[in-house]
Amino acid sequence: MPFTLLLTITISLPNMRTTHREMRISKLLLLLMLICTFLPPSSSDPKDESCLTHLFQSFDDPNKNLRNWSIPTFSNPCLDFNSNLAGATCNNGRVYKLSLQNLGLRGTISPYISNCTNLQSLDLSNNSLAGPIPVELQYLVNLAVLNLSSNHLSAAIPPSLAMCNYLNVIDLHENDLTGTIPPQLGSLARLSVFDVSNNKLSGPIPANLGNRTGNLPRLNASSFSGNKDLYGYPLGPMNSKGLSVVVIVGIGLGSGLLSLVLSFTVVCIWLRSVEQKRADEQEAKIPQLMPDY
């Protein structure tokens, strides 16, 4: 309804023998319309703009799948529940989901991703992203799904991910992650999917992840497989292959040294016996050579 028409109707209400209560309601409606008229249009959150700008700058997009990701679009990525960016989903004017999987993206994950504070799902799987997992992800306190699988991410898994209390899914399989699995992740009570298979992880599987108790979802061996130096339930005990090599080398060196000592000892005994025999023969010849008086 046009504002001028509403204003006309509202002003004319007292002349139509309206009650005092109706007059108060009409004045309230008029006030609300005035407020809505002069309110500035909704704008994007500046943190979202910073997040998207830096994230795009950290990517290399050889296939031009993010061609509509541009600075003008970053300034207003959302229109209520609709998004102007490929792979982004909005909720009430904020970016709450980024689905950028299988786009051939290269580069790294910008730590400014933490500025998308309303983010609930981040999926960057099946790309060629490298570098570490940003520790700044800990500031995404609403994050429920984290899928960074099938990339070339390296370094250790940040223990600070445990700060994201709403995490249901952590999928990091098929990367080059090293180090141990942070035991802090076992404190995530909502965690139902955890996959770190086919990395370069080592050390024991934390008991609060590998052998969960109570109503917590159990994780099977496939979640941890493909890490040759990872051990503990639900995988087998510590891999003894490395220890066997050391033992074999030690045994080989010890046996060689022992053989050398024994051989040297035998030679020494033989030489001594030969010398003793010669000495005895010399002593036996001396009386025969001495003249008779």
Side-chain angles (χ1 to χ4, degrees):
M1 179 180 295
F3 171 71
T4 54
L5 178 59
L6 180 63
L7 181 60
T8 303
I9 295 173
T10 306
I11 293 174
S12 64
L13 280 176
N15 299 326
M16 297 173 63
R17 298 181 181 179
T18 56
T19 64
H20 180 67
R21 183 176 180 181
E22 289 172 339
M23 290 177 61
R24 291 181 61 185
I25 293 175
S26 63
K27 289 179 180 179
L28 181 60
L29 290 172
L30 175 61
L31 179 61
L32 290 174
M33 285 298 300
L34 288 171
I35 292 173
C36 293
T37 302
F38 293 104
L39 277 176
S42 61
S43 58
S44 66
D45 191 288
K47 289 186 177 180
D48 280 359
E49 181 179 357
S50 172
C51 164
L52 296 169
T53 300
H54 287 90
L55 189 63
F56 180 67
Q57 291 174 348
S58 70
F59 287 160
D60 179 16
D61 180 24
N63 299 326
K64 306 301 179 184
N65 289 309
L66 303 179
R67 51 184 172 273
N68 72 332
W69 281 52
S70 60
I71 292 178
T73 314
F74 298 150
S75 62
N76 191 21
C78 296
L79 182 60
D80 293 329
F81 294 92
N82 300 316
S83 173
N84 300 319
L85 292 175
T89 305
C90 296
N91 183 14
N92 199 24
R94 294 293 308 277
V95 175
Y96 89 99
K97 184 177 181 180
L98 284 175
S99 301
L100 304 176
Q101 68 272 23
N102 199 29
L103 297 180
L105 299 176
R106 301 171 185 169
T108 59
I109 304 174
S110 171
Y112 283 88
I113 187 70
S114 61
N115 282 344
C116 286
T117 52
N118 205 46
L119 203 62
Q120 298 179 31
S121 176
L122 177 62
D123 189 349
L124 301 175
S125 61
N126 291 290
N127 286 293
S128 297
L129 300 173
I133 298 173
V135 296
E136 289 80 3
L137 288 176
Q138 64 180 306
Y139 300 116
L140 299 178
V141 294
N142 297 309
L143 194 65
V145 176
L146 177 64
N147 189 349
L148 306 178
S149 62
S150 298
N151 280 286
H152 303 296
L153 300 174
S154 57
I157 300 173
S160 57
L161 284 179
M163 301 294 290
C164 304
N165 293 320
Y166 292 100
L167 274 172
N168 288 288
V169 175
I170 299 179
D171 192 350
L172 306 175
H173 78 269
E174 294 284 351
N175 277 289
D176 298 315
L177 299 172
T178 56
T180 59
I181 300 175
Q184 293 89 336
L185 300 183
S187 66
L188 294 170
R190 293 177 172 84
L191 192 63
S192 58
V193 175
F194 181 77
D195 192 346
V196 293
S197 60
N198 298 313
N199 278 282
K200 299 176 181 178
L201 299 171
S202 58
I205 297 173
N208 54 4
L209 276 174
N211 191 17
R212 310 183 90 191
T213 58
N215 296 324
L216 298 176
R218 304 295 291 269
L219 304 175
N220 55 38
S222 63
S223 298
F224 305 96
S225 62
N227 297 277
K228 65 176 183 178
D229 294 322
L230 198 62
Y231 61 90
Y233 189 86
L235 298 180
M238 183 172 61
N239 194 339
S240 59
K241 290 182 179 179
L243 183 61
S244 297
V245 171
V246 174
V247 171
I248 290 172
V249 171
I251 292 174
L253 291 175
S255 300
L257 182 61
L258 181 61
S259 298
L260 183 63
V261 171
L262 289 174
S263 298
F264 181 76
T265 304
V266 170
V267 170
C268 289
I269 293 174
W270 179 77
L271 289 174
R272 186 160 185 170
S273 64
V274 169
E275 291 178 356
Q276 184 65 39
K277 184 177 180 181
R278 288 179 179 176
D280 292 341
E281 290 177 351
Q282 290 294 331
E283 289 179 358
K285 290 179 180 181
I286 289 174
Q288 297 176 2
L289 296 175
M290 293 181 64
D292 296 330
Y293 293 100

